[in-house]
């Protein structure tokens, strides 16, 4: 098939900035040999000539457009401008986080290409790229939206968990986001979600949508299974430390969970590992036993040296790369319902693959069990790795994605 893939919000190489980049790159890498792919992206800092040429290993053509001027002023915190953005949302039905990225040049080019019959399908990698798909295109070609995460579900989940950075704004936005997601999902012949929870949010808004689950995976070459259990009493939490759900989880872990662990296990340590830590996360470095690393040369090396990976997320829909990577490396995992979303780890009929906790005392109990039981650590390590190899490799998920495109 001739596929037009829209990834304007992020240039997907190198796959090192975040989960969206990693997902887009690895799915392209899997379907590239099967189809003629044209990737459309903005001239972001990652879109260097060297990276473009490397990415052409997997895609036939890459079309680069200038970054829209309005992107440079979108983060203006002036209250009047924020009010104007809300008014624009009410009138247009499209969130400011989408409209500020819009390029009329890209929209015109995409429409002309489809009208000319140059492509068999248009794929939006991430929901924000929906703005370049006119509703009429559904009648001409297959249109696919790989949502990555429901924007309505994401905001709703943050409000429910008390993790919203601006609850007043988000409560105003919520019904508008529901209206927006319902409208744009109707433009697509196929929707791809990453977990059953995400699909359920979308189903409530668009009951008749054709939704397929294609999870996010792990590259086993870059996440090798560790050779031995290091023992000790070291905890680790990984993630981009400027994302709202990770900020909330890091603060919750360091301030409410870890001190209780420290009381029982005075030698325990906690590493908060991830890029771009905001001031609220940097401040956690002052807590005895806690280290905020910022960017590190290798997340995998940090995981392999850790006794337990803790994923205490209270918000954020979708499959969690941090959980998958920990399991792939072989680090036993203690995680919340959100941290284990989309994975069958502790249900009847499957081997125990992780310990679940949602309250501070539950985390302390689970962490204590693993500190004290070498055999349990090894059991979780082996079972989780086997699950990753069977269900969460990019090769396996690429086959599922290819089935969506050919259905």
């Amino acid at each position: 098939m001739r596929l037009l893939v829209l990834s304007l919000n992020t240039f997907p190489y190198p796959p090192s900035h975040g989960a969206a980049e990693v997902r887009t790159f690895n799915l392209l890498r899997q379907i590239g040999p099967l189809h003629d792919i044209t990737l459309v992206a903005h001239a972001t800092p990652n879109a260097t000539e060297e990276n473009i040429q490397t990415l052409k290993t997997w895609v036939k053509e890459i079309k680069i457009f200038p970054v829209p001027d309005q992107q440079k002023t979108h983060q203006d915190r002036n209250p009047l401008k924020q009010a104007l953005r809300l008014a624009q949302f009410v009138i247009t039905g499209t969130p400011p986080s989408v409209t500020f990225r819009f390029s009329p040049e890209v929209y015109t080019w995409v429409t002309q290409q489809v009208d000319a019959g140059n492509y068999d399908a248009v794929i939006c990698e991430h929901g924000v790229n929906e703005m370049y798909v006119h509703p009429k295109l559904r009648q001409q070609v297959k249109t696919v939206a790989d949502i990555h995460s429901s924007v309505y579900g994401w905001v709703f989940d943050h409000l429910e968990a008390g993790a919203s950075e601006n609850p007043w704004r988000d409560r105003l936005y919520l019904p508008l986001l529901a209206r927006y997601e319902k409208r744009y999902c109707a433009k697509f012949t196929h929707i791809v979600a990453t977990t059953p929870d995400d699909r359920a949010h979308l189903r409530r808004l668009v009951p008749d949508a054709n939704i397929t689950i294609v999870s996010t995976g792990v590259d086993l070459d870059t996440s090798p299974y560790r050779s031995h259990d290091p023992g000790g009493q070291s905890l680790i939490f990984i993630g981009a430390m400027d994302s709202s759900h990770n900020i909330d989880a890091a603060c919750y872990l360091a301030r409410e969970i870890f001190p209780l662990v420290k009381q029982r296990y005075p030698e325990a340590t906690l590493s908060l590992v991830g890029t771009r830590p905001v001031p609220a996360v940097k401040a956690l470095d002052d807590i005895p036993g806690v280290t905020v690393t910022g960017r590190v040369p290798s997340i995998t090396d940090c995981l392999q040296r850790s006794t337990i990976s803790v994923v205490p997320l209270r918000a954020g829909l979708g499959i969690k790369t941090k959980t998958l990577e920990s399991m792939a490396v072989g680090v036993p995992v203690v995680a919340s319902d959100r941290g284990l979303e989309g994975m069958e780890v502790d249900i009847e009929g499957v081997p125990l693959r992780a310990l679940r906790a949602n309250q501070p005392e539950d985390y302390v109990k689970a962490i204590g069990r693993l500190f004290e039981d070498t055999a349990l650590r090894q059991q979780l390590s082996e079972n989780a790795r086997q699950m990753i190899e069977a269900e969460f490799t990019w090769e396996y998920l690429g086959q599922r994605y290819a089935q969506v495109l050919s259905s």
Side-chain angles (χ1 to χ4, degrees), residues 235 253 257 261 265 308 310 334 355 362-372:
L235 307 177
L253 175 56
I257 299 171
V261 174
Y265 303 95
I308 302 169
V310 187
V334 176
L355 298 185
D362 298 330
Y363 283 101
V364 175
K365 182 179 179 181
I367 289 168
R369 286 180 63 192
L370 289 170
F371 276 168
E372 297 174 15

Side-chain angles (χ1 to χ4, degrees), residues 7-320:
S7 184
L8 281 300
N9 60 312
T10 177
F11 187 81
Y13 192 85
S16 57
H17 182 75
E21 249 179 21
V22 170
R23 178 177 175 84
T24 299
F25 167 73
N26 280 287
L27 290 177
L28 284 175
R29 185 175 64 159
Q30 295 303 317
I31 66 174
L34 307 174
H35 305 286
D36 287 341
I37 297 175
T38 297
L39 176 74
V40 182
H42 276 143
T44 56
N46 273 359
T48 64
E49 185 59 32
E50 181 181 0
N51 288 343
I52 289 170
Q53 293 305 317
T54 302
L55 193 56
K56 283 185 176 180
T57 304
W58 300 281
V59 304
K60 181 179 179 181
E61 184 181 358
I62 298 176
K63 180 75 173 175
I64 300 294
F65 286 88
V67 175
D69 290 338
Q70 66 268 21
Q71 281 199 208
K72 302 166 187 174
T73 59
H74 173 70
Q75 297 302 323
D76 192 324
R77 300 289 184 179
N78 181 288
L80 177 59
K81 291 187 177 180
Q82 289 180 326
L84 289 173
R85 288 197 288 267
L86 174 59
Q88 182 186 41
F89 189 4
V90 173
I91 295 168
T92 65
T94 303
S97 59
V98 175
T99 55
F100 91 98
R101 305 171 189 270
F102 182 71
S103 165
E105 184 182 3
V106 175
Y107 179 85
T108 300
W109 185 86
V110 170
T111 304
Q112 289 174 343
Q113 292 294 311
V114 175
D115 284 345
N118 293 336
Y119 295 98
D120 304 308
V122 178
I123 303 172
C124 290
E125 276 299 332
H126 207 288
V128 296
N129 293 293
E130 63 79 21
M131 66 189 121
Y132 299 112
V133 177
H134 190 282
K136 74 172 185 177
L137 300 190
R138 179 183 173 125
Q139 310 305 320
Q140 299 168 265
V141 295
K142 180 177 294 185
T143 50
V144 180
D146 183 4
I147 299 293
H148 289 217
S149 184
S150 161
V151 61
Y152 166 80
W154 182 270
V155 173
F156 178 84
D157 188 61
H158 274 65
L159 285 170
E160 287 284 290
S164 171
E165 294 177 321
N166 191 333
W168 180 83
R169 177 203 63 194
D170 287 349
R171 288 191 184 95
L172 283 176
Y173 274 23
L174 199 60
L176 299 174
L177 289 171
R179 180 184 67 174
Y180 163 70
E181 201 148 61
K182 182 176 181 178
R183 173 177 60 79
Y184 94 70
C185 282
K187 297 194 297 185
F188 293 91
T189 59
H190 294 71
I191 302 290
V192 174
T194 62
T195 68
D197 281 8
D198 222 10
R199 180 174 60 184
H201 275 288
L202 294 167
R203 279 260 186 260
R204 282 193 286 271
L205 298 174
V206 196
D208 59 345
N210 182 7
I211 306 175
T212 302
I213 294 177
V214 179
S215 185
T216 288
V218 181
D219 185 340
L220 298 184
D221 291 334
T222 58
S223 297
Y225 188 66
R226 67 186 185 185
S227 59
H228 66 282
D229 179 349
Q233 296 177 351
S234 60
L235 307 177
I236 188 171
F237 171 65
I238 63 174
M241 295 298 172
D242 61 348
S243 296
S244 57
H245 60 305
N246 288 337
I247 296 168
D248 175 76
C251 293
Y252 176 51
L253 175 56
R255 296 192 183 281
E256 299 187 40
I257 299 171
F258 183 66
L260 300 178
V261 174
K262 194 79 168 167
Q263 288 176 10
R264 288 182 55 183
Y265 303 95
E267 300 301 314
T269 61
L270 169 62
S271 296
L272 302 175
V273 179
T275 58
R276 305 180 299 279
V278 299
V281 174
K282 289 180 180 179
L284 303 175
D285 198 60
D286 296 332
I287 298 173
V290 177
T291 301
V292 178
T293 69
R295 179 182 289 275
V296 295
S298 171
I299 293 285
T300 298
D301 288 347
C302 293
L303 284 170
Q304 290 183 334
R305 293 193 298 266
S306 302
T307 315
I308 302 169
S309 177
V310 187
V311 190
L313 294 172
R314 297 189 288 186
L317 289 181
I319 201 82
K320 304 306 184 298

